[in-house]
Amino acid sequence: MSALIASETSLSRLDGALRLPHEEPLDAAILDVRIRGGQVYPVAEELLARNIPFVLASGYGDWALPESLRDQPRLTKPFRQQDLEDQVRLLLAKATASTT
């Protein structure tokens, strides 16, 4: 999988995740719905506003997501490595398509 990801940033707190779209150029993101400090929905909304593709990782069903995020790609926990790799490939394809 290292060939698929050029760089990665891992944040475990909501406050850091909220700052990231404003501080770093992002091509795509995988967001764990529950992180320290709350739920990642405000970050997802910011990425949507900036047209940055992302995947939500969660063990909950659609009912637990805000309506505005229910149609976003998801990795359902627990997920297999192959599922993660497939989602990364899709994210990178979307990111590449949005820059061309």
Side-chain angles (χ1 to χ4, degrees):
M1 186 132 109
S2 60
L4 293 174
I5 300 174
S7 67
E8 96 165 90
T9 301
S10 177
L11 297 168
S12 61
R13 297 195 47 85
L14 183 58
D15 54 353
L18 284 167
R19 286 192 308 270
L20 192 64
H22 301 281
E23 297 174 354
E24 299 287 332
L26 300 174
D27 295 320
I30 297 175
L31 304 174
D32 194 329
V33 167
R34 297 185 60 84
I35 60 174
R36 276 186 257 154
Q39 295 174 319
V40 78
Y41 305 141
V43 179
E45 296 290 351
E46 181 67 24
L47 295 178
L48 274 176
R50 293 172 178 259
N51 288 324
I52 298 171
F54 64 90
V55 172
L56 294 168
S58 175
Y60 297 101
D62 287 344
W63 59 267
L65 298 174
E67 192 170 329
S68 62
L69 298 175
R70 289 183 185 163
D71 62 344
Q72 296 304 309
R74 262 196 320 138
L75 276 168
T76 303
K77 292 180 183 179
F79 50 83
R80 299 172 304 134
Q81 181 172 337
Q82 186 62 52
D83 297 331
L84 177 61
E85 290 175 10
D86 291 346
Q87 287 295 335
V88 169
R89 282 187 187 91
L90 290 171
L91 283 173
L92 293 176
K94 286 181 184 178
T96 301
S98 69
T99 60
T100 58

